Amino acid sequence: MTWRGYLGRKEYHRKLALKVEERQLNYFHCMATKIKKVWKGHFVRTHVYDYYAMKKYLGALQEKNEIVRLRLQEYSEEMSRREEVEEQARELERYNKYARSCHFMMSTQVKSGVFVKDNEETAFEEQ
């Protein structure tokens, strides 16, 4: 019986040592993760996402956006002015085309002749 008890105690101590080692490794891994997390947060805050550098960048970006917005507004106004000029030109062209198509009506004015003298007013001119 003693041999059996000796082997049982030996196996128990071996399993106990494995459990203790496993718990220590789990604890060390957990602590290493926390250390990495803290270090990574510190590094990112100070070097990658630097608050003051980001603030400076966003300020410059805001100024640039204002400049671009003003340029776009000027461009839009210029394009609307051009469209108005083009629309006026098209309207004038339509008017001229209509006037050319109605040119035969221009000869209907009363002209001085045998029955109407130059210094007399005509009935058409009064209207």
Side-chain angles (χ1 to χ4, degrees), residues 1-12:
M1 277 259 209
T2 52
W3 180 251
R4 186 172 172 203
Y6 169 75
L7 287 179
R9 286 188 299 276
K10 189 175 178 182
E11 184 65 22
Y12 170 75

Side-chain angles (χ1 to χ4, degrees), residues 25-98:
L25 283 176
N26 285 340
Y27 176 76
F28 292 151
H29 286 304
C30 184
M31 292 299 117
T33 303
K34 287 184 180 183
I35 291 170
K36 287 178 188 177
K37 184 168 52 171
V38 169
W39 168 251
K40 187 175 180 182
H42 167 72
F43 184 80
V44 166
R45 282 191 306 275
T46 56
H47 295 91
V48 177
Y49 295 114
D50 188 11
Y51 171 76
Y52 296 104
M54 185 68 72
K55 186 175 180 181
K56 181 179 175 183
Y57 168 74
L58 290 176
L61 186 64
Q62 190 175 14
E63 290 175 10
K64 186 174 181 180
N65 285 344
E66 287 296 325
I67 292 170
V68 169
R69 188 176 295 120
L70 289 175
R71 286 183 183 170
L72 285 174
Q73 186 177 5
E74 291 171 0
Y75 178 75
S76 174
E77 291 171 358
E78 177 65 28
M79 292 307 291
S80 65
R81 275 187 249 127
R82 285 185 185 180
E83 287 177 6
E84 287 176 10
V85 168
E86 289 174 1
E87 181 61 32
Q88 289 174 352
R90 283 193 295 268
E91 189 65 34
L92 183 62
E93 182 62 32
R94 274 188 248 134
Y95 177 75
N96 287 338
K97 186 176 179 182
Y98 177 74

Side-chain angles (χ1 to χ4, degrees), residues 98-116:
Y98 177 74
R100 283 192 301 270
S101 69
C102 296
H103 73 282
F104 62 91
M105 295 182 188
M106 298 193 52
S107 63
T108 60
Q109 295 177 355
V110 176
K111 296 186 180 181
S112 59
V114 179
F115 300 108
V116 180

